[in-house]
Amino acid sequence: MNLVAERSRRGMSQLDLAKEVGSATSSVSNWENGTVTPSGKKLLMLCDVLDSPAEYLLERFGMDDDA
């Protein structure tokens, strides 16, 4: 998943990202391995923190319209 790449590109650990979006590290891990999709509110927070558009992140979660 590219969520990992985006987080890593910014030098963030799962803990760093979890703190930024007010979630547990287990949630970040679940998002990254694709077992759970972030809620709308968390997705918007991820977009802000990772400076990535929602469409890009949704595509990475396998939720794009072309799937």
Side-chain angles (χ1 to χ4, degrees), residues 8-64:
S8 296
R9 187 174 302 146
R10 287 157 181 80
M12 300 177 80
S13 67
Q14 285 184 342
L15 179 59
D16 295 331
L17 184 57
K19 286 179 180 180
E20 287 288 326
V21 299
S23 292
T25 52
S26 60
S27 294
V28 174
S29 177
N30 287 333
W31 299 335
E32 289 183 350
N33 67 33
T35 58
V36 176
T37 303
S39 68
K41 181 179 178 180
K42 294 298 180 183
L43 177 61
L44 292 175
M45 295 173 90
L46 288 167
C47 290
D48 186 48
V49 170
L50 299 174
D51 193 29
S52 297
E55 294 81 9
Y56 172 76
L57 292 178
L58 287 174
E59 181 179 293
R60 299 302 158 225
F61 287 111
M63 297 173 55
D64 60 331

